[in-house]
Amino acid sequence: MTSDRPVLGILLMVGFCFTAPVMDAFAKLASDTIGVGQIVAFRFGIQALLLLPAVMFLAQLAWPERRDWGLHILRAALIIVATGAFFSALRVMPIADAIAIFFVEPFILTLLGALFLGESIGWRRIGACAVGFVGALVIIRPSLAVFGLVAALPLVTAFCFAFYMVLTRRIARRIPPVALQFWTAVAATLLILPILWLTHDRGFQPLALTMPQGVAWIWIMSVGVIASISHMMISFALKFAPAATIAPLQYLEIVAATTLGYYIFDDLPDAQTFLGIALIVASGLYVFLRERRLERAAMLAPQPPV
């Protein structure tokens, strides 16, 4: 990893923020006629197929070490649940509302990092996490009345994705990012396909199998293609710029999601939702900016003599 081209990293992160909600929009369109489980299977299956040439070209197609098999399977299970829960929420919720609730994930990750990885966490970050959760509750409370418990599914996504990221931190030092994305997609595909095969005729609509018709093929294929492109963008953004530089840009997703939701689905967040979004964004930016200041202070501190 070489963090020496920050402008390129920033541009790639902006690209991710404006393409990831497009994937969500296609998933929402596809969910009208196709089960969520099938959309998830296409999402990871297409990603695996698209990344195969890349890992072969980069000579990164080495079979994972045996000690990593369990981590790959657990990461795949977590990302399947996270993706399925989020796509299920999108069937009935506006994209911007769902993404805004999901953005409590960095706070959950901060707490899990302290719990499982021994990372230090002070009272300021705990306070910022609390404000972020309050922002999520501001959005969820009226959504529960309108959409029922489906409004809590983005929180399930946030928790699963935070655990997924904790495991990623454990394994990412040994595996290049493109290869890691490829094996995650392979493992997720191999997990979801047997589940769909065994349950597709049990009358549970989210896991039902349906032959896409007409334009639905475009929706479901686009989910996998755009997911692959957007996640490659963020992987290479982290290669060219420090995480503390590009992380605050992720909140541009809400701008893109609100715009797409309005023009495609005629959804526009109400005043209470905008208040919740503001609380989540403000607390998240505070955490990121404080992390950057602490990092700079550590770099400028005099080094002890050797």
Side-chain angles (χ1 to χ4, degrees):
M1 291 284 180
T2 56
S3 301
D4 57 357
R5 302 175 68 181
V7 174
L8 179 56
I10 289 171
L11 291 175
L12 287 168
M13 187 63 185
V14 171
F16 167 81
C17 292
F18 281 94
T19 54
V22 176
M23 175 195 69
D24 298 330
F26 279 123
K28 186 177 179 69
L29 289 167
S31 66
D32 287 340
T33 56
I34 301 172
V36 169
Q38 191 173 346
I39 300 173
V40 173
F42 267 82
R43 179 253 186 272
F44 290 109
I46 293 173
Q47 179 176 329
L49 291 174
L50 290 179
L51 290 184
L52 178 58
V55 292
M56 292 179 65
F57 176 77
L58 296 172
Q60 296 177 356
L61 195 58
W63 189 259
E65 297 180 16
R66 183 171 297 180
R67 61 173 174 166
D68 293 331
W69 289 1
L71 288 177
H72 278 299
I73 293 172
L74 183 54
R75 288 177 70 254
L78 287 168
I79 198 66
I80 286 173
V81 175
T83 306
F86 195 75
F87 286 176
S88 296
L90 290 178
R91 292 189 69 227
V92 296
M93 292 184 67
I95 301 175
D97 292 37
I99 288 180
I101 296 170
F102 167 76
F103 271 144
V104 300
E105 184 271 335
F107 312 128
I108 300 172
L109 181 58
T110 296
L111 300 176
L112 292 179
L115 186 61
F116 293 107
L117 301 178
E119 298 175 352
S120 60
I121 175 173
W123 66 269
R124 291 183 179 86
R125 277 196 288 179
I126 293 176
C129 292
V131 172
F133 281 115
V134 169
L137 292 176
V138 168
I139 301 171
I140 291 173
R141 186 177 178 183
S143 298
L144 284 173
V146 177
F147 305 117
L149 290 177
V150 173
L153 286 177
L155 274 183
V156 175
T157 299
F159 275 98
C160 289
F161 195 76
F163 276 104
Y164 169 86
M165 290 301 294
V166 169
L167 295 178
T168 299
R169 289 183 182 182
R170 295 280 300 272
I171 198 173
R173 296 177 181 177
R174 302 192 295 272
I175 301 178
V178 178
L180 186 58
Q181 293 272 5
F182 170 74
W183 286 114
T184 298
V186 170
T189 303
L190 294 177
L191 282 179
I192 190 67
L193 288 180
I195 295 174
L196 290 176
W197 180 257
L198 294 173
T199 61
H200 73 279
D201 58 352
R202 301 295 178 87
F204 185 53
Q205 195 279 332
L207 296 179
L209 292 179
T210 306
M211 179 61 69
Q213 301 294 324
V215 73
W217 277 110
I218 298 176
W219 305 152
I220 196 170
M221 298 292 287
S222 297
V223 170
V225 172
I226 297 175
S228 304
I229 294 172
S230 62
H231 282 79
M232 287 301 294
M233 281 184 178
I234 196 171
S235 295
F236 281 96
L238 290 167
K239 177 178 180 179
F240 294 123
T245 299
I246 65 173
L249 296 172
Q250 190 173 359
Y251 290 108
L252 288 173
E253 277 193 68
I254 294 179
V255 177
T258 302
T259 303
L260 287 171
Y262 177 72
Y263 283 105
I264 298 177
F265 305 104
D266 199 26
D267 292 329
L268 189 65
D270 58 20
Q272 186 165 342
T273 299
F274 274 120
L275 173 61
I277 290 173
L279 289 172
I280 294 171
V281 172
S283 54
L285 289 176
Y286 172 80
V287 170
F288 291 129
L289 293 174
R290 178 167 172 77
E291 286 297 313
R292 177 182 288 183
R293 188 175 68 178
L294 292 176
E295 183 179 358
R296 287 179 177 176
M299 292 175 62
L300 295 174
Q303 300 296 319
V306 287

